[in-house]
Amino acid sequence: IYSTDTTNPLILVPCTITVTGSPVLTLSDTCFDYDTVGEGGSYEQTLTIYNNGCDTLKVTNITSTLPEYTVDLTVLNIMPYDFGEVIVTFSPTSAGNYSGTVTIFNNDIDTTICLNGVAVAAAEITLDPNSFNINIIVCDDSTTQTLTIKNTGNSTLNYKTSLFASAGAGFD
């Protein structure tokens, strides 16, 4: 304290300040709707966990209600005004609708997000024949062969064709 007192123009007063902060969890999303996935496939989405408080946010566990939804991290410490990212993967093994939740256990408020995904039966390609063995003897000769591509699965089959010559086939 500065004063006009000529004997004590400055007096120092000891002071102790204790700041008790708390973390504040906020999320980038409260629900994930996944694209349709073929059985045996997977789709990832990133969940961002923000700490908008003034103490460390301690995520002690992240659990899923369904085994088709998994997370890459289950424990995080997020400093004040920082964030962490968790990848939530949808990996269905059979066709169907999957509605579940992921719960984030932490030192603020345990928080749950909803998860919705659809799995369709996988496409299955069948070729007839499954290979060709063609011998062309004359340089300007040609041949036509038929390749039949069938989808014996229960989902749309997308494909693209290319010509690849085996070693020694004479293509440059």
Side-chain angles (χ1 to χ4, degrees), residues 94-167:
S94 61
N97 293 319
Y98 295 88
S99 294
T101 60
V102 164
T103 301
I104 304 160
F105 297 95
N106 63 88
N107 62 334
D108 182 27
I109 298 172
D110 294 342
T111 304
T112 300
I113 67 166
C114 65
L115 306 169
N116 296 302
V118 176
V120 294
E124 188 173 332
I125 191 168
T126 303
L127 304 176
D128 183 31
N130 59 11
S131 67
F132 290 102
N133 186 6
I134 302 170
N135 290 317
I136 297 178
I137 300 171
V138 180
C139 290
D140 292 331
D141 200 2
S142 66
T143 184
T144 301
Q145 300 290 319
T146 301
L147 172 66
T148 303
I149 300 172
K150 291 182 182 176
N151 178 11
T152 56
N154 295 316
S155 184
T156 302
L157 173 68
N158 297 311
Y159 64 91
K160 182 170 86 171
T161 60
S162 298
L163 175 64
F164 292 99
S166 61

Side-chain angles (χ1 to χ4, degrees), residues 49 57-62 74-78 104-106:
I49 303 171
L57 176 66
K58 296 176 183 176
V59 175
T60 55
N61 200 7
I62 301 176
T74 57
V75 176
L76 293 100
N77 286 319
I78 304 171
I104 304 160
F105 297 95
N106 63 88

Side-chain angles (χ1 to χ4, degrees), residues 36-44 68 89-94 118-122:
T36 300
V37 176
E39 61 185 350
S42 66
Y43 187 78
E44 296 178 347
E68 289 79 12
T89 304
F90 174 46
S91 302
T93 56
S94 61
V118 176
V120 294

Side-chain angles (χ1 to χ4, degrees), residues 18-26 50-58 78-82 107-108:
T18 303
V19 177
T20 303
S22 59
V24 177
L25 181 141
T26 55
Y50 298 95
N51 179 6
N52 292 326
C54 56
D55 194 7
T56 301
L57 176 66
K58 296 176 183 176
I78 304 171
M79 300 304 292
Y81 306 104
D82 203 356
N107 62 334
D108 182 27

